[in-house]
Amino acid sequence: MSLVTVLVAVPSPSPTTTVSAAGAGSPGFLGFVFTFALAAAMVVLFLSLTRHLRIVDRRSREREASAAGGDGSAAATSDGDAAGPEDGPAR
């Protein structure tokens, strides 16, 4: 092939100047709603997890404080339940 034929050759699918709606690359309103709902659900789950972790941490501190007291009795948590299975079965 000569240099002239390479320069004159037309690309074989010729490029188009119009963009179809399918190739626009935008998710549209439905994509926005889905993403917003997913983000809102994640915020709610994070707040719930934080609340539960605070409760677990508070109960752990209460158990450590009652164990350090050394009185030997079963300590009650803020909910009124027994301290836990490490105290043995109820008699």
Side-chain angles (χ1 to χ4, degrees), residues 4-86:
V4 175
T5 55
V6 171
L7 293 176
V8 177
V10 178
S12 159
S14 59
T16 60
T17 57
T18 60
V19 177
S20 66
S26 174
F29 181 72
L30 186 61
F32 169 74
V33 169
F34 179 76
T35 304
F36 185 80
L38 186 64
M42 295 304 295
V43 168
V44 169
L45 286 173
F46 177 73
L47 292 175
S48 174
L49 174 69
T50 303
R51 191 181 98 230
H52 283 90
L53 287 176
R54 285 181 182 166
I55 291 171
V56 168
D57 187 45
R58 186 182 70 231
R59 287 181 181 172
S60 173
R61 287 185 200 162
E62 289 174 355
R63 286 187 181 174
E64 288 175 359
S66 67
D71 59 354
S73 64
T77 61
S78 61
D79 294 338
D81 298 332
E86 65 272 358

